[in-house]
Amino acid sequence: MKEIDDTNRTADPARRRERGIKAYARIFDVPEKDVPAAMAGRVGPVFAEEAFMSAGGPAWSHPALTDRERSIVIITALAAQGVAGDRLDSHIRLAQRNGLGFDALTVMMTLTANYIGYARGSQAMEAVQRVAGPDSPTSAPNF
């Protein structure tokens, strides 16, 4: 595999923070200007700044993955850790905006449950049903 030089995208802390704020604005579907205060209110200002720096790094913008593929990875990781509630719901909504419809999310969670266990898999599937299911208010078209 060819190594990709990410030095230009990660060297400048101000630009990295800005990219992190943009990433969180996409995740939570809120205006960028509201992200710093919302994150600081949720996790405190020190943790929020660290989160912006992390999200501004190459993993969130590297061209080797599409936003759709990132959504698959993140939802799978959250489900494997047993994360539920608003965190998982936000990433399911982002996945919908990134092209994953209810059918794709359902098959993804069914497959994932075989590897992470049915307790965590069904917990994540409940979130998929609630957020993206046919009866959900935010349901996007199936792809």
Side-chain angles (χ1 to χ4, degrees):
M1 180 170 93
K2 180 183 170 191
E3 189 172 324
I4 298 173
D5 179 12
D6 286 319
T7 307
N8 291 335
R9 294 190 310 178
T10 60
D12 180 6
R15 289 189 63 224
R16 186 171 178 151
R17 181 182 185 275
E18 180 182 314
R19 283 192 308 273
I21 289 171
K22 286 181 183 194
Y24 275 102
R26 281 194 323 268
I27 293 167
F28 296 117
D29 198 23
V30 298
E32 289 178 31
K33 67 178 181 55
D34 297 340
V35 170
M39 282 291 286
R42 185 176 185 150
V43 297
V46 174
F47 196 94
E49 287 302 318
E50 185 67 25
F52 298 147
M53 295 304 283
S54 177
W60 273 97
S61 59
H62 199 286
L65 291 177
T66 66
D67 287 341
R68 184 178 191 275
E69 292 165 336
R70 280 185 192 84
S71 286
I72 292 169
V73 170
I74 292 166
I75 290 171
T76 302
L78 292 174
Q81 295 176 69
V83 174
D86 186 50
R87 285 208 176 138
L88 182 57
D89 293 358
S90 295
H91 282 284
I92 291 170
R93 284 189 289 274
L94 178 61
Q96 289 180 290
R97 293 191 305 272
N98 288 336
L100 286 165
F102 177 68
D103 290 344
L105 289 163
T106 297
V107 172
M108 183 178 91
M109 290 320 312
T110 303
L111 176 62
T112 300
N114 288 290
Y115 292 91
I116 68 172
Y118 279 89
R120 289 191 172 172
S122 66
Q123 178 179 326
M125 189 59 219
E126 288 173 13
V128 168
Q129 184 70 30
R130 181 179 61 255
V131 173
D135 298 327
S136 73
T138 60
S139 182
N142 279 317
F143 294 103

PDB file of all heavy atoms in Angstrom, residues 66-69 71-72 92-105 140-143:
ATOM      1  N   THR A  66     -14.500   6.653   2.321  1.00  0.00           N
ATOM      2  CA  THR A  66     -15.599   7.573   2.034  1.00  0.00           C
ATOM      3  C   THR A  66     -16.330   7.872   3.346  1.00  0.00           C
ATOM      4  O   THR A  66     -16.165   7.148   4.336  1.00  0.00           O
ATOM      5  CB  THR A  66     -16.606   6.954   1.048  1.00  0.00           C
ATOM      6  OG1 THR A  66     -17.238   5.836   1.682  1.00  0.00           O
ATOM      7  CG2 THR A  66     -15.927   6.522  -0.251  1.00  0.00           C
ATOM      8  N   ASP A  67     -17.156   8.899   3.345  1.00  0.00           N
ATOM      9  CA  ASP A  67     -17.958   9.190   4.533  1.00  0.00           C
ATOM     10  C   ASP A  67     -18.903   8.030   4.847  1.00  0.00           C
ATOM     11  O   ASP A  67     -19.157   7.720   6.004  1.00  0.00           O
ATOM     12  CB  ASP A  67     -18.743  10.482   4.355  1.00  0.00           C
ATOM     13  CG  ASP A  67     -17.854  11.716   4.429  1.00  0.00           C
ATOM     14  OD1 ASP A  67     -16.726  11.621   4.953  1.00  0.00           O
ATOM     15  OD2 ASP A  67     -18.289  12.775   3.959  1.00  0.00           O
ATOM     16  N   ARG A  68     -19.406   7.364   3.830  1.00  0.00           N
ATOM     17  CA  ARG A  68     -20.272   6.190   4.025  1.00  0.00           C
ATOM     18  C   ARG A  68     -19.504   5.087   4.748  1.00  0.00           C
ATOM     19  O   ARG A  68     -20.008   4.482   5.689  1.00  0.00           O
ATOM     20  CB  ARG A  68     -20.791   5.711   2.668  1.00  0.00           C
ATOM     21  CG  ARG A  68     -21.774   4.563   2.741  1.00  0.00           C
ATOM     22  CD  ARG A  68     -22.256   4.214   1.313  1.00  0.00           C
ATOM     23  NE  ARG A  68     -23.364   3.309   1.328  1.00  0.00           N
ATOM     24  CZ  ARG A  68     -23.259   1.990   1.407  1.00  0.00           C
ATOM     25  NH1 ARG A  68     -22.060   1.423   1.497  1.00  0.00           N
ATOM     26  NH2 ARG A  68     -24.329   1.223   1.407  1.00  0.00           N
ATOM     27  N   GLU A  69     -18.284   4.822   4.293  1.00  0.00           N
ATOM     28  CA  GLU A  69     -17.462   3.790   4.942  1.00  0.00           C
ATOM     29  C   GLU A  69     -17.121   4.175   6.378  1.00  0.00           C
ATOM     30  O   GLU A  69     -17.129   3.320   7.274  1.00  0.00           O
ATOM     31  CB  GLU A  69     -16.185   3.545   4.122  1.00  0.00           C
ATOM     32  CG  GLU A  69     -16.478   2.890   2.782  1.00  0.00           C
ATOM     33  CD  GLU A  69     -15.319   2.970   1.809  1.00  0.00           C
ATOM     34  OE1 GLU A  69     -14.456   3.878   1.937  1.00  0.00           O
ATOM     35  OE2 GLU A  69     -15.272   2.129   0.897  1.00  0.00           O
ATOM     36  N   SER A  71     -18.988   5.899   8.354  1.00  0.00           N
ATOM     37  CA  SER A  71     -20.206   5.646   9.124  1.00  0.00           C
ATOM     38  C   SER A  71     -20.331   4.173   9.491  1.00  0.00           C
ATOM     39  O   SER A  71     -20.687   3.832  10.627  1.00  0.00           O
ATOM     40  CB  SER A  71     -21.443   6.093   8.335  1.00  0.00           C
ATOM     41  OG  SER A  71     -21.548   7.496   8.323  1.00  0.00           O
ATOM     42  N   ILE A  72     -20.027   3.296   8.558  1.00  0.00           N
ATOM     43  CA  ILE A  72     -20.099   1.858   8.836  1.00  0.00           C
ATOM     44  C   ILE A  72     -19.135   1.487   9.956  1.00  0.00           C
ATOM     45  O   ILE A  72     -19.496   0.791  10.904  1.00  0.00           O
ATOM     46  CB  ILE A  72     -19.801   1.041   7.550  1.00  0.00           C
ATOM     47  CG1 ILE A  72     -20.938   1.223   6.541  1.00  0.00           C
ATOM     48  CG2 ILE A  72     -19.576  -0.436   7.881  1.00  0.00           C
ATOM     49  CD1 ILE A  72     -20.636   0.688   5.153  1.00  0.00           C
ATOM     50  N   ILE A  92     -26.175   7.223  13.437  1.00  0.00           N
ATOM     51  CA  ILE A  92     -27.121   6.593  12.504  1.00  0.00           C
ATOM     52  C   ILE A  92     -27.713   7.654  11.584  1.00  0.00           C
ATOM     53  O   ILE A  92     -27.820   7.438  10.370  1.00  0.00           O
ATOM     54  CB  ILE A  92     -28.217   5.823  13.272  1.00  0.00           C
ATOM     55  CG1 ILE A  92     -27.600   4.598  13.960  1.00  0.00           C
ATOM     56  CG2 ILE A  92     -29.344   5.403  12.327  1.00  0.00           C
ATOM     57  CD1 ILE A  92     -28.525   3.903  14.938  1.00  0.00           C
ATOM     58  N   ARG A  93     -28.073   8.809  12.131  1.00  0.00           N
ATOM     59  CA  ARG A  93     -28.576   9.893  11.277  1.00  0.00           C
ATOM     60  C   ARG A  93     -27.511  10.350  10.279  1.00  0.00           C
ATOM     61  O   ARG A  93     -27.802  10.607   9.105  1.00  0.00           O
ATOM     62  CB  ARG A  93     -29.068  11.069  12.138  1.00  0.00           C
ATOM     63  CG  ARG A  93     -30.420  10.788  12.794  1.00  0.00           C
ATOM     64  CD  ARG A  93     -30.986  12.038  13.462  1.00  0.00           C
ATOM     65  NE  ARG A  93     -30.255  12.424  14.651  1.00  0.00           N
ATOM     66  CZ  ARG A  93     -30.476  11.940  15.871  1.00  0.00           C
ATOM     67  NH1 ARG A  93     -31.417  11.042  16.065  1.00  0.00           N
ATOM     68  NH2 ARG A  93     -29.765  12.351  16.889  1.00  0.00           N
ATOM     69  N   LEU A  94     -26.259  10.444  10.743  1.00  0.00           N
ATOM     70  CA  LEU A  94     -25.167  10.810   9.835  1.00  0.00           C
ATOM     71  C   LEU A  94     -25.006   9.736   8.751  1.00  0.00           C
ATOM     72  O   LEU A  94     -24.806  10.063   7.580  1.00  0.00           O
ATOM     73  CB  LEU A  94     -23.861  10.985  10.614  1.00  0.00           C
ATOM     74  CG  LEU A  94     -22.615  11.316   9.787  1.00  0.00           C
ATOM     75  CD1 LEU A  94     -22.789  12.632   9.036  1.00  0.00           C
ATOM     76  CD2 LEU A  94     -21.389  11.365  10.684  1.00  0.00           C
ATOM     77  N   ALA A  95     -25.113   8.484   9.131  1.00  0.00           N
ATOM     78  CA  ALA A  95     -25.009   7.392   8.149  1.00  0.00           C
ATOM     79  C   ALA A  95     -26.089   7.521   7.078  1.00  0.00           C
ATOM     80  O   ALA A  95     -25.830   7.282   5.894  1.00  0.00           O
ATOM     81  CB  ALA A  95     -25.109   6.050   8.854  1.00  0.00           C
ATOM     82  N   GLN A  96     -27.287   7.907   7.499  1.00  0.00           N
ATOM     83  CA  GLN A  96     -28.355   8.118   6.517  1.00  0.00           C
ATOM     84  C   GLN A  96     -27.973   9.227   5.544  1.00  0.00           C
ATOM     85  O   GLN A  96     -28.163   9.090   4.331  1.00  0.00           O
ATOM     86  CB  GLN A  96     -29.662   8.477   7.222  1.00  0.00           C
ATOM     87  CG  GLN A  96     -30.298   7.324   7.963  1.00  0.00           C
ATOM     88  CD  GLN A  96     -31.587   7.759   8.622  1.00  0.00           C
ATOM     89  OE1 GLN A  96     -31.573   8.519   9.573  1.00  0.00           O
ATOM     90  NE2 GLN A  96     -32.692   7.279   8.094  1.00  0.00           N
ATOM     91  N   ARG A  97     -27.434  10.325   6.068  1.00  0.00           N
ATOM     92  CA  ARG A  97     -27.006  11.421   5.188  1.00  0.00           C
ATOM     93  C   ARG A  97     -25.848  10.987   4.298  1.00  0.00           C
ATOM     94  O   ARG A  97     -25.653  11.538   3.218  1.00  0.00           O
ATOM     95  CB  ARG A  97     -26.625  12.652   6.012  1.00  0.00           C
ATOM     96  CG  ARG A  97     -27.820  13.283   6.716  1.00  0.00           C
ATOM     97  CD  ARG A  97     -27.517  14.657   7.309  1.00  0.00           C
ATOM     98  NE  ARG A  97     -26.394  14.723   8.215  1.00  0.00           N
ATOM     99  CZ  ARG A  97     -26.437  14.502   9.528  1.00  0.00           C
ATOM    100  NH1 ARG A  97     -27.571  14.142  10.104  1.00  0.00           N
ATOM    101  NH2 ARG A  97     -25.342  14.614  10.270  1.00  0.00           N
ATOM    102  N   ASN A  98     -25.097   9.982   4.753  1.00  0.00           N
ATOM    103  CA  ASN A  98     -23.968   9.474   3.970  1.00  0.00           C
ATOM    104  C   ASN A  98     -24.364   8.325   3.049  1.00  0.00           C
ATOM    105  O   ASN A  98     -23.507   7.667   2.472  1.00  0.00           O
ATOM    106  CB  ASN A  98     -22.830   9.031   4.897  1.00  0.00           C
ATOM    107  CG  ASN A  98     -22.132  10.199   5.545  1.00  0.00           C
ATOM    108  OD1 ASN A  98     -22.160  11.304   5.031  1.00  0.00           O
ATOM    109  ND2 ASN A  98     -21.513   9.964   6.683  1.00  0.00           N
ATOM    110  N   GLY A  99     -25.663   8.061   2.916  1.00  0.00           N
ATOM    111  CA  GLY A  99     -26.126   7.094   1.927  1.00  0.00           C
ATOM    112  C   GLY A  99     -26.495   5.724   2.426  1.00  0.00           C
ATOM    113  O   GLY A  99     -26.746   4.831   1.615  1.00  0.00           O
ATOM    114  N   LEU A 100     -26.526   5.502   3.731  1.00  0.00           N
ATOM    115  CA  LEU A 100     -26.938   4.203   4.256  1.00  0.00           C
ATOM    116  C   LEU A 100     -28.410   4.266   4.653  1.00  0.00           C
ATOM    117  O   LEU A 100     -28.776   4.960   5.595  1.00  0.00           O
ATOM    118  CB  LEU A 100     -26.097   3.818   5.489  1.00  0.00           C
ATOM    119  CG  LEU A 100     -24.672   3.396   5.200  1.00  0.00           C
ATOM    120  CD1 LEU A 100     -23.846   3.397   6.473  1.00  0.00           C
ATOM    121  CD2 LEU A 100     -24.655   2.017   4.575  1.00  0.00           C
ATOM    122  N   GLY A 101     -29.241   3.554   3.939  1.00  0.00           N
ATOM    123  CA  GLY A 101     -30.659   3.509   4.244  1.00  0.00           C
ATOM    124  C   GLY A 101     -30.965   2.449   5.287  1.00  0.00           C
ATOM    125  O   GLY A 101     -30.083   1.724   5.771  1.00  0.00           O
ATOM    126  N   PHE A 102     -32.233   2.340   5.626  1.00  0.00           N
ATOM    127  CA  PHE A 102     -32.689   1.408   6.645  1.00  0.00           C
ATOM    128  C   PHE A 102     -32.305  -0.033   6.311  1.00  0.00           C
ATOM    129  O   PHE A 102     -31.822  -0.769   7.173  1.00  0.00           O
ATOM    130  CB  PHE A 102     -34.209   1.535   6.834  1.00  0.00           C
ATOM    131  CG  PHE A 102     -34.767   0.567   7.822  1.00  0.00           C
ATOM    132  CD1 PHE A 102     -34.465   0.673   9.170  1.00  0.00           C
ATOM    133  CD2 PHE A 102     -35.600  -0.456   7.409  1.00  0.00           C
ATOM    134  CE1 PHE A 102     -34.973  -0.233  10.096  1.00  0.00           C
ATOM    135  CE2 PHE A 102     -36.123  -1.357   8.323  1.00  0.00           C
ATOM    136  CZ  PHE A 102     -35.819  -1.248   9.666  1.00  0.00           C
ATOM    137  N   ASP A 103     -32.495  -0.446   5.064  1.00  0.00           N
ATOM    138  CA  ASP A 103     -32.159  -1.826   4.692  1.00  0.00           C
ATOM    139  C   ASP A 103     -30.673  -2.108   4.897  1.00  0.00           C
ATOM    140  O   ASP A 103     -30.302  -3.151   5.447  1.00  0.00           O
ATOM    141  CB  ASP A 103     -32.540  -2.110   3.240  1.00  0.00           C
ATOM    142  CG  ASP A 103     -34.038  -2.179   3.021  1.00  0.00           C
ATOM    143  OD1 ASP A 103     -34.783  -2.310   4.021  1.00  0.00           O
ATOM    144  OD2 ASP A 103     -34.468  -2.095   1.858  1.00  0.00           O
ATOM    145  N   ALA A 104     -29.823  -1.195   4.462  1.00  0.00           N
ATOM    146  CA  ALA A 104     -28.380  -1.391   4.625  1.00  0.00           C
ATOM    147  C   ALA A 104     -27.995  -1.425   6.107  1.00  0.00           C
ATOM    148  O   ALA A 104     -27.195  -2.267   6.531  1.00  0.00           O
ATOM    149  CB  ALA A 104     -27.604  -0.295   3.902  1.00  0.00           C
ATOM    150  N   LEU A 105     -28.565  -0.523   6.903  1.00  0.00           N
ATOM    151  CA  LEU A 105     -28.268  -0.506   8.336  1.00  0.00           C
ATOM    152  C   LEU A 105     -28.754  -1.777   9.022  1.00  0.00           C
ATOM    153  O   LEU A 105     -28.086  -2.315   9.908  1.00  0.00           O
ATOM    154  CB  LEU A 105     -28.891   0.734   8.990  1.00  0.00           C
ATOM    155  CG  LEU A 105     -28.218   2.063   8.629  1.00  0.00           C
ATOM    156  CD1 LEU A 105     -29.135   3.235   8.981  1.00  0.00           C
ATOM    157  CD2 LEU A 105     -26.874   2.190   9.321  1.00  0.00           C
ATOM    158  N   ALA A 140     -34.881   8.130   6.157  1.00  0.00           N
ATOM    159  CA  ALA A 140     -34.411   8.555   4.834  1.00  0.00           C
ATOM    160  C   ALA A 140     -34.759   7.449   3.829  1.00  0.00           C
ATOM    161  O   ALA A 140     -35.049   6.321   4.218  1.00  0.00           O
ATOM    162  CB  ALA A 140     -32.894   8.764   4.868  1.00  0.00           C
ATOM    163  N   PRO A 141     -34.711   7.749   2.547  1.00  0.00           N
ATOM    164  CA  PRO A 141     -34.994   6.708   1.558  1.00  0.00           C
ATOM    165  C   PRO A 141     -33.999   5.561   1.673  1.00  0.00           C
ATOM    166  O   PRO A 141     -32.846   5.765   2.055  1.00  0.00           O
ATOM    167  CB  PRO A 141     -34.832   7.428   0.217  1.00  0.00           C
ATOM    168  CG  PRO A 141     -34.571   8.853   0.503  1.00  0.00           C
ATOM    169  CD  PRO A 141     -34.359   9.028   1.958  1.00  0.00           C
ATOM    170  N   ASN A 142     -34.435   4.364   1.356  1.00  0.00           N
ATOM    171  CA  ASN A 142     -33.539   3.201   1.349  1.00  0.00           C
ATOM    172  C   ASN A 142     -32.652   3.227   0.137  1.00  0.00           C
ATOM    173  O   ASN A 142     -33.089   3.591  -0.956  1.00  0.00           O
ATOM    174  CB  ASN A 142     -34.356   1.900   1.351  1.00  0.00           C
ATOM    175  CG  ASN A 142     -34.832   1.541   2.720  1.00  0.00           C
ATOM    176  OD1 ASN A 142     -34.076   1.649   3.678  1.00  0.00           O
ATOM    177  ND2 ASN A 142     -36.069   1.130   2.826  1.00  0.00           N
ATOM    178  N   PHE A 143     -31.397   2.833   0.329  1.00  0.00           N
ATOM    179  CA  PHE A 143     -30.449   2.736  -0.786  1.00  0.00           C
ATOM    180  C   PHE A 143     -29.930   1.333  -0.853  1.00  0.00           C
ATOM    181  O   PHE A 143     -29.812   0.658   0.086  1.00  0.00           O
ATOM    182  CB  PHE A 143     -29.279   3.718  -0.597  1.00  0.00           C
ATOM    183  CG  PHE A 143     -29.724   5.136  -0.668  1.00  0.00           C
ATOM    184  CD1 PHE A 143     -29.870   5.881   0.490  1.00  0.00           C
ATOM    185  CD2 PHE A 143     -30.021   5.737  -1.862  1.00  0.00           C
ATOM    186  CE1 PHE A 143     -30.272   7.206   0.446  1.00  0.00           C
ATOM    187  CE2 PHE A 143     -30.408   7.055  -1.909  1.00  0.00           C
ATOM    188  CZ  PHE A 143     -30.550   7.790  -0.765  1.00  0.00           C
TER     189      PHE A 143
END
